Amino acid sequence: MKISRRFAGLAALLVAGLLGTTVHIVTTAESADAAQTSLRAADPSVLRVGGTYVGVQSVGDNGIAVRQASSPAGLATAAARTVFTDSQRLGEVWAPEIHYDGGRYYIYFTMGAGANHRMYVISSATADSGYGGATKLNLPDDRWAIDGTMFVFNGQRYFVWSGWAGTTNVEQNLYIAKMTSPTTATGSRAVISQPRESWERVVGNPFINEAPEAIKDPNGQLHVTYSANGSWSEQYCIADLRLRAGGDPMYVWDWYKSNGCLFGSNRSTMMAGWDPTLYVNGPGHHSFVLLNGDINTSPPAGSSFPLMFHAVAKGTPYAWSNRYWYTGSFMWWGAITYSRANVPGSTTNTGYSIKFFE
């Protein structure tokens, strides 16, 4: 029998009480369970504007479409309106990410072929129409870049993406840069994560940190969750970077990494105290469904904190073509220590982590 998320949350409270763990619940079930939607696609990006949920996806190999619905699950059957087509045929259009800033919608996406993948942006005052031509983001060093996301933290706008250190495909790191507007990066880039832990190097060539998503915990600390291991493998999973209180997002040693996957399908790579998935393989490239896509609204008012992610159903061959969008949820889990060694600064940091639910 599948246990509903509501009962899972209650069980978590009971366990936490027994263990003396500080827990902050930000979600109980809106419905009985999370579910596979009917949308066979990857890389969900979803936000809420008023009472409308807006989702964006790549279509074909060179387009972007927007869907709108009254619930996250409803996006799968909502009409998909194409808002961008790469008429120049620059290459693949991957992983669009939608944001709402200053009354306008911004969609960031990767476009290019091979080593020429770069980040681009389009914008409109309307979610599903009126977008102009694509503008290439002037990211520092102008290297291969995918999966970019924008957020505002402590009054400063930042952009985080997955990219290469040089001009060859050795590994995908997470980089951050400051922005002076939703379309303009400034200054230098700084690395904040590299796939160097054993649990994120199970599947590689290259080894991967990608699909970053920012969110702020109940203590006001910044987190960037991300996907590790190759997306072509069921070892794909979600991990967490937590910025120490008062830390500088541009300084790598102010970030502390979870000691394993927080959402994954293989027990051997999960962080201690976290269990693997029961119903899906390789969950990854998720979207925190935030009001206006703004991390400063998280946790939002109300009892539900929805999540969208892609995965492959257990019992189905793991392949990109078998990925679906799934609805899910998460809760903050307090008093969790992330540890590290042989680096500057403190070796441990204690704060909120995240429990994900299928």
Side-chain angles (χ1 to χ4, degrees), residues 21 26 142 149 179 193 207 225 227 295 336:
T21 304
V26 193
D142 192 27
T149 186
M179 301 186 85
S193 182
F207 296 112
T225 52
S227 296
I295 71 166
I336 299 300

Side-chain angles (χ1 to χ4, degrees), residues 39 41-47 53-59 63-69 75-76 79-84 93-99 105-109 122 127-128 131 148 213 285 287 308 325:
L39 185 56
D43 310 334
S45 175
V46 180
L47 53 75
Y53 292 86
V54 183
V56 61
Q57 68 178 107
S58 56
V59 290
I64 296 172
V66 172
R67 299 169 183 260
Q68 298 186 85
L75 289 169
R81 296 191 61 178
T82 299
V83 298
F84 175 79
V93 172
W94 289 347
E97 173 107 2
I98 191 164
H99 292 263
Y105 294 88
Y106 294 87
I107 299 177
Y108 301 94
F109 58 97
I122 56 177
D128 62 355
Y131 291 88
E213 291 293 329
H285 208 128
S287 180
M308 295 291 289
W325 283 21

Side-chain angles (χ1 to χ4, degrees), residues 7-140:
F7 289 112
L10 291 174
L13 279 175
L14 292 173
V15 172
L18 291 172
L19 297 179
T21 304
T22 301
V23 175
H24 181 86
I25 295 291
V26 193
T27 179
T28 55
E30 283 182 307
S31 57
D33 297 293
Q36 181 191 82
T37 73
S38 61
L39 185 56
R40 188 190 291 259
D43 310 334
S45 175
V46 180
L47 53 75
R48 178 169 68 87
V49 180
T52 300
Y53 292 86
V54 183
V56 61
Q57 68 178 107
S58 56
V59 290
D61 64 353
N62 71 331
I64 296 172
V66 172
R67 299 169 183 260
Q68 298 186 85
S70 59
S71 69
L75 289 169
T77 55
R81 296 191 61 178
T82 299
V83 298
F84 175 79
T85 301
D86 174 23
S87 58
Q88 300 180 68
R89 305 298 297 183
L90 295 179
E92 303 97 345
V93 172
W94 289 347
E97 173 107 2
I98 191 164
H99 292 263
Y100 187 69
D101 188 285
R104 292 188 66 83
Y105 294 88
Y106 294 87
I107 299 177
Y108 301 94
F109 58 97
T110 303
M111 185 164 57
N116 293 320
H117 281 94
R118 298 293 188 273
M119 292 302 308
Y120 291 80
V121 62
I122 56 177
S123 71
S124 174
T126 306
D128 62 355
S129 64
Y131 291 88
T135 299
K136 180 185 172 185
L137 287 182
N138 61 328
L139 295 180

Side-chain angles (χ1 to χ4, degrees), residues 22-24 26-27 213-218 221-226 238-242 258 260-264 270-275 286 288 298 305-307 329-338 351-357:
T22 301
V23 175
H24 181 86
V26 193
T27 179
E213 291 293 329
I215 194 164
K216 212 164 66 169
D217 71 26
Q221 287 177 248
L222 178 65
H223 295 246
V224 172
T225 52
Y226 66 95
I238 296 174
D240 179 41
L241 296 173
R242 180 174 64 217
S258 58
C261 303
L262 302 182
F263 196 31
M270 301 299 293
M271 190 166 79
W274 269 249
D275 293 319
H286 60 303
F288 296 117
S298 59
F305 207 159
L307 175 81
S329 62
F330 79 90
M331 58 192 275
W332 291 108
W333 196 264
I336 299 300
T337 298
Y338 295 167
Y352 280 102
S353 188
I354 300 172
K355 289 275 187 175
F356 292 92
F357 294 90

Side-chain angles (χ1 to χ4, degrees), residues 194-206:
Q194 295 173 290
R196 302 292 176 83
E197 302 300 321
S198 61
W199 52 267
E200 56 186 351
R201 294 174 67 88
V202 180
V203 174
N205 191 26

